[in-house]
Amino acid sequence: MITTDRMAAVDANAAALGVPRKQLMESSGNAVAREVRAIADPGASVELLCGRGNNGGDAFVAARFLSAYDVTVRLLGRPESIRTEIARENWDALKSAAIPTETVADAADLALDDPDVIVDAMLGSGITGALREPERTAARLANESDAAVVAVDVPSGIDADTGESTGSGDDDVVRVEADRVVTFHDEKPGLTALDADVTVADIGIPAAAERFTGPGDLLGIARDPNSHKGENGEVLVIGGGPYTGAPSLSARSALRTGADLVRVACPETVARTVQGYSADLIVRGLPGNRIGPAHVDRALELAAGNDVVVLGPGLGDSDGVSEFVREFLSRYDGRAVVDADALRVVPEIDTDAELICTPHQGELVGMGGETADDPDERAALVRSFADEIGHTLLVKGAVDVVSDGDGVRLNHTGNPGMTVGGTGDVLAGAVGALAAVTDSFHAAAVGVYANGLAGDAAADDMGYGLVATDLPDRLPEAMRDE
């Protein structure tokens, strides 16, 4: 099954892979027409109730494939308000093909002609709220009719993810009671709750659109225009000591990926240096020149005020660091991105924290996992190990692999120039910012995709002589990729 949000992402990824939305609409409309032909003989009357979005566009296409039927297409709204270019093109094609159409601007003008089949293409998935006019009247007329009702993707007024009415808080809930539903690519979770026959139509979306990250994965990572400082994520980076650049890179990356506030907890001996990298960072010094067990209480106190912790950049590999990570994670119950030297103790820790671990393949083996040269084989191994340890894994490589033990996503962005030191710190910060506003699996997939795009943009300018500091400033553009 596939949720509404994920379906939108897959659709956009398919377009990026060279399968245009217009082609997908053509396939979708053909599938709807096949369903009508399966339940009605040639010559039967078919009325298509069409909205102004792509759901209606699917029905415009279907009408062209029903030339042997007595077809009428009713557009609920004015043609100039059709919302997408491809739907508008298919509406215009109906007129060119002399297929009967009717525009319904006022619900009082809507009537059905006792059809044999009604196609509900008013509202697709992703719609919220109760049906409004003229869709509300159209739904009532469809339900009162003796015609067989075929819904396109999801019956209008139904939440595709839950099966509940979109107007469940309304005193007079109206939804289309479809006899059949033609949905696309994969079944939507809410359709199982309906008393309707569901057909899942293959419309030509390539498997890669779902398996690999792409621009569609960026959908839903948006900033509320009414949000205030802090509502788009607060991130704490715990790192530094022997190194100062790593925690700074992670912190700057988190800011550039969209976090509102980023704090760095580092040894006081390097705090001034870390602060010097950027005036935008909030730096908290910890006593001494290395982070160790004595700092756990203070680190937990700081972590409590943030949405996500990025743990590991520049910590080093001393025994005290391992003890700190072990105790911190055993007592921490929030979300954390774990990177670099902090990774190796993760499998042995009993923690209530939700972790996103970002090892390269050598670090994965050091954690107790396995790897392989073949990306598909490696993906299976990563998925198994993620399930075993109970955390999300982002395993870096020529083809990155992300898994939470259930889903798996592969990533192709990035280039050999990103083997330079520090790019992993940039990635950890990006994932940290995203983990503050979305789930761990999605954060890891989007983070590695955007980080790779930033690296590709840097390589376009500088070749393989790029350095990690070239990446953070390119992340905002990568997050806008279409």
Side-chain angles (χ1 to χ4, degrees):
M1 290 191 179
I2 190 167
T3 65
T4 298
D5 288 345
R6 184 62 192 148
M7 187 65 222
V10 169
D11 189 56
N13 287 348
L17 291 170
V19 184
R21 287 182 172 89
K22 187 172 183 178
Q23 179 178 323
L24 297 178
M25 183 174 286
E26 193 75 9
S27 298
S28 299
N30 197 355
V32 172
R34 285 199 304 271
E35 193 72 14
V36 172
R37 291 195 296 267
I39 62 173
D41 294 328
S45 58
V46 181
E47 298 201 21
L48 299 97
L49 302 175
C50 305
R52 292 163 292 147
N54 283 344
N55 197 249
D58 294 336
F60 301 157
V61 172
R64 292 193 280 103
F65 285 101
L66 293 171
S67 57
Y69 293 77
D70 179 14
V71 170
T72 300
V73 177
R74 302 187 191 277
L75 174 65
L76 305 185
R78 301 184 185 281
E80 57 267 25
S81 66
I82 293 175
R83 290 190 292 272
T84 70
E85 182 178 350
I86 54 173
R88 193 176 305 112
E89 289 174 357
N90 280 300
W91 169 258
D92 292 339
L94 294 177
K95 292 185 288 184
S96 300
I99 294 173
T101 63
E102 178 183 324
T103 298
V104 181
D106 189 333
D109 298 331
L110 180 61
L112 303 182
D113 296 328
D114 193 25
D116 298 304
V117 179
I118 294 172
V119 174
D120 164 29
M122 295 185 288
L123 300 171
S125 58
I127 302 299
T128 59
L131 294 184
R132 294 178 290 181
E133 297 294 0
E135 289 84 4
R136 190 179 185 89
T137 293
R140 283 199 174 109
L141 291 174
N143 291 341
E144 293 167 359
S145 171
D146 292 329
V149 178
V150 177
V152 177
D153 201 26
V154 60
S156 297
I158 297 291
D159 186 311
D161 291 335
T162 67
E164 298 177 355
S165 298
T166 56
S168 56
D170 195 295
D171 292 335
D172 183 20
V173 174
V174 177
R175 51 189 257 179
V176 171
E177 303 295 339
D179 300 297
R180 292 170 176 258
V181 179
V182 181
T183 197
F184 309 120
H185 182 65
D186 200 353
E187 188 167 351
K188 314 308 182 291
L191 298 183
T192 59
L194 305 183
D195 183 19
D197 293 329
V198 177
T199 298
V200 178
D202 183 348
I203 58 173
I205 292 177
E210 194 162 358
R211 187 163 177 77
F212 290 90
T213 59
D217 292 276
L218 298 175
L219 298 177
I221 306 295
R223 190 180 294 260
D224 185 337
N226 297 314
S227 61
H228 302 283
K229 183 169 67 176
E231 293 180 353
N232 298 292
E234 298 187 33
V235 177
L236 173 68
V237 177
I238 301 176
Y243 307 101
T244 59
S248 172
L249 283 167
S250 289
R252 288 184 57 228
S253 172
L255 283 169
R256 288 302 194 186
T257 307
D260 279 345
L261 294 168
V262 179
R263 301 172 176 90
V264 179
C266 62
E268 60 186 4
T269 54
V270 298
R272 185 182 296 273
T273 302
V274 172
Q275 181 69 80
Y277 287 116
S278 175
D280 300 300
L281 306 181
I282 303 168
V283 179
R284 302 294 187 228
L286 303 175
N289 61 2
R290 293 288 189 275
I291 291 178
H295 300 123
V296 171
D297 289 342
R298 177 57 175 156
L300 288 168
E301 180 184 333
L302 291 171
N306 292 270
D307 299 301
V308 175
V309 169
V310 177
L311 178 62
L315 278 179
D317 58 359
S318 67
D319 291 341
V321 164
S322 296
E323 292 176 29
F324 168 81
V325 172
R326 187 177 291 106
E327 185 175 350
F328 177 86
L329 290 179
S330 68
R331 294 169 57 186
Y332 181 61
D333 61 1
R335 184 175 289 180
V337 178
V338 183
D339 188 41
D341 293 308
L343 286 165
R344 62 180 181 273
V345 299
V346 167
E348 64 191 57
I349 297 171
D350 182 13
T351 180
D352 292 327
E354 182 180 343
L355 306 183
I356 306 171
C357 300
T358 58
H360 54 63
Q361 293 182 65
E363 290 168 331
L364 175 71
V365 172
M367 293 172 68
E370 297 179 75
T371 188
D373 292 334
D374 178 72
D376 289 329
E377 184 180 352
R378 185 164 68 253
L381 292 170
V382 170
R383 178 177 180 174
S384 177
F385 190 55
D387 181 59
E388 179 184 332
I389 64 174
H391 300 298
T392 299
L393 286 172
L394 192 175
V395 182
K396 296 170 284 192
V399 178
D400 309 296
V401 179
V402 178
S403 181
D404 58 358
D406 183 17
V408 176
R409 202 72 46 78
L410 305 182
N411 177 66
H412 272 316
T413 63
N415 59 82
M418 294 176 69
T419 56
V420 66
T423 57
D425 301 307
V426 175
L427 173 60
V431 173
L434 291 162
V437 295
T438 189
D439 65 88
S440 293
F441 180 67
H442 193 205
V446 174
V448 74
Y449 174 73
N451 188 65
L453 286 179
D456 289 341
D460 285 344
D461 289 342
M462 303 171 186
Y464 293 156
L466 66 89
V467 292
T469 51
D470 296 325
L471 271 60
D473 289 344
R474 289 174 166 83
L475 280 167
E477 185 63 31
M479 293 294 296
R480 287 199 299 265
D481 187 71
E482 297 179 353

